Amino acid sequence: MRAQLNYQHLYYFWIVAREGGVTRAAERLRLSPSTVSTQLRQLEEILEAELFLRTGRGLVLSEAGRIAFQYAQPIFGLGEALIDALAGRGRPGIKRLTIGVADHVPKLVARALLDPVSGPDTHLVCRTDNTDKLLAELALHQLDVVIVDAPLGGETSVRAFSHLLGESAIWLYATPQRAARLREGFPQSLNGQPLLLPTPGATLRRGLDHWLTDEGLSVEIAGEFDDSALLKEFGAIGLGAFPAPAIVAEGIGRQYGVEPIGEVVGVRERFYAVSLERKLTDPRVVALIERAQISLFEGVSS
């Protein structure tokens, strides 16, 4: 007789996989870690498979776990989307707009982009994750649009379209004392200095690597981050100089207490809105793109 799947057990497994560990999942579920662990063991007994492997850094999905997660994701992802969709049901005139922001997109840029679509008549839902996961949600119509830092390539399995929002020059920033010192003789002043960079998978990182090579610079890579906000936080405490778009220079200085050093000449960061439509029809998404092209990137994209 086939065992009956317990969807509560599967839900706990899904949360553990997303959170990366039992302890963090338990905090989100407001349960004890032992309770979550027990639920996982019971699910493994039903499926007759080990779902996680323990490594030095914690838990990683086994092959069976990856298969289980692929089935659990659309089940519970759609459930979350349903809750979001009904969140403003009792508020007449309120429209829900769900936007995905790729984790390499600077948060200050994302905030500026979302300004024209936020307001009292919009229930804004914003999700941050890696581009592949966000595109998968877009394909399932869980997202209305995704903001990314590179156009979709031919290897992308999702049939979607990239709409250029604009581009910006890249400057290096640092704490005031370090910035003042490094401005003299820039960019050669960077030789031997600590630098904070996006992780190698980021589009901006490739441009920075080429620039360092072309300028003949040998720097100390003091940290690599896939979260742009975290990168700036470490730059703010003096761990090293870091790159960021010129269009948000004022916000970066105000929020992190840093100053610009100089421009990374020849390197620019572009931002795109990705949708399932070649021709956009949602007026809020159209407003986002038009505002970005006319206002946010005006004077810095040419």
Side-chain angles (χ1 to χ4, degrees), residues 26 49 76 86 103 139 146 192 216 227 230 250 272:
F76 299 113
L86 298 179
D103 43 22
V146 176
D227 186 292
L230 190 59
E250 183 178 345
Y272 299 82

CSV table of all heavy atoms in Angstrom, one decimal, residues 26 49 76 86 103 139 146 192 216 227 230 250 272:
chain,number,residue,atom,x,y,z
A,26,ALA,N,13.1,26.8,12.0
A,26,ALA,CA,12.4,26.8,13.2
A,26,ALA,C,12.0,28.2,13.7
A,26,ALA,O,10.9,28.4,14.2
A,26,ALA,CB,13.1,26.0,14.3
A,49,ALA,N,13.9,8.1,1.6
A,49,ALA,CA,15.1,8.7,1.0
A,49,ALA,C,15.6,9.8,2.0
A,49,ALA,O,14.8,10.4,2.8
A,49,ALA,CB,14.7,9.4,-0.3
A,76,PHE,N,4.0,25.2,-2.8
A,76,PHE,CA,3.9,26.2,-1.7
A,76,PHE,C,4.2,27.6,-2.2
A,76,PHE,O,3.7,28.6,-1.6
A,76,PHE,CB,4.8,25.8,-0.6
A,76,PHE,CG,4.5,24.5,0.1
A,76,PHE,CD1,5.3,23.4,-0.1
A,76,PHE,CD2,3.3,24.3,0.7
A,76,PHE,CE1,5.0,22.2,0.5
A,76,PHE,CE2,3.0,23.1,1.3
A,76,PHE,CZ,3.8,22.0,1.1
A,86,LEU,N,-4.6,38.0,-2.2
A,86,LEU,CA,-5.8,38.3,-1.5
A,86,LEU,C,-5.6,39.3,-0.4
A,86,LEU,O,-6.5,39.7,0.4
A,86,LEU,CB,-6.4,37.0,-0.9
A,86,LEU,CG,-6.9,36.0,-2.0
A,86,LEU,CD1,-7.5,34.8,-1.3
A,86,LEU,CD2,-7.9,36.6,-2.9
A,103,ASP,N,19.5,39.9,-6.7
A,103,ASP,CA,20.3,40.2,-5.5
A,103,ASP,C,21.5,41.1,-5.8
A,103,ASP,O,22.0,41.8,-5.0
A,103,ASP,CB,20.7,39.0,-4.7
A,103,ASP,CG,21.2,37.9,-5.6
A,103,ASP,OD1,21.6,38.1,-6.7
A,103,ASP,OD2,21.2,36.7,-5.1
A,139,ALA,N,7.8,33.1,-14.7
A,139,ALA,CA,7.2,32.1,-15.6
A,139,ALA,C,5.9,31.5,-15.0
A,139,ALA,O,5.0,31.2,-15.8
A,139,ALA,CB,8.2,31.0,-15.9
A,146,VAL,N,10.6,41.6,-13.3
A,146,VAL,CA,11.9,41.3,-12.5
A,146,VAL,C,12.9,42.4,-12.9
A,146,VAL,O,13.1,42.6,-14.1
A,146,VAL,CB,12.4,39.9,-12.8
A,146,VAL,CG1,13.7,39.7,-12.1
A,146,VAL,CG2,11.4,38.8,-12.4
A,192,GLY,N,47.8,47.4,-4.2
A,192,GLY,CA,48.0,46.9,-2.8
A,192,GLY,C,46.9,47.2,-1.8
A,192,GLY,O,47.0,46.8,-0.7
A,216,GLY,N,46.6,47.5,-15.1
A,216,GLY,CA,47.7,46.9,-14.5
A,216,GLY,C,47.8,47.0,-13.0
A,216,GLY,O,48.8,47.1,-12.3
A,227,ASP,N,25.3,40.2,-2.3
A,227,ASP,CA,24.3,41.1,-1.8
A,227,ASP,C,24.9,42.5,-1.8
A,227,ASP,O,25.9,42.8,-1.1
A,227,ASP,CB,23.8,40.8,-0.4
A,227,ASP,CG,22.7,41.7,0.0
A,227,ASP,OD1,22.9,42.9,0.3
A,227,ASP,OD2,21.5,41.2,0.2
A,230,LEU,N,25.0,44.4,1.6
A,230,LEU,CA,26.0,43.9,2.5
A,230,LEU,C,27.4,44.4,2.2
A,230,LEU,O,28.2,44.7,3.0
A,230,LEU,CB,25.9,42.4,2.6
A,230,LEU,CG,26.7,41.7,3.7
A,230,LEU,CD1,26.3,42.2,5.1
A,230,LEU,CD2,26.6,40.2,3.6
A,250,GLU,N,24.7,60.2,-4.1
A,250,GLU,CA,24.2,61.0,-2.9
A,250,GLU,C,23.6,60.1,-1.8
A,250,GLU,O,23.9,60.3,-0.7
A,250,GLU,CB,23.2,62.0,-3.4
A,250,GLU,CG,22.7,62.9,-2.3
A,250,GLU,CD,21.7,64.0,-2.8
A,250,GLU,OE1,21.6,64.1,-4.1
A,250,GLU,OE2,21.0,64.6,-2.0
A,272,TYR,N,17.7,46.3,-16.2
A,272,TYR,CA,16.7,45.9,-17.1
A,272,TYR,C,15.4,45.5,-16.3
A,272,TYR,O,15.5,45.0,-15.2
A,272,TYR,CB,17.1,44.7,-18.0
A,272,TYR,CG,18.3,45.0,-18.9
A,272,TYR,CD1,19.6,45.0,-18.4
A,272,TYR,CD2,18.1,45.3,-20.2
A,272,TYR,CE1,20.7,45.3,-19.2
A,272,TYR,CE2,19.2,45.6,-21.0
A,272,TYR,CZ,20.5,45.6,-20.5
A,272,TYR,OH,21.6,45.8,-21.3
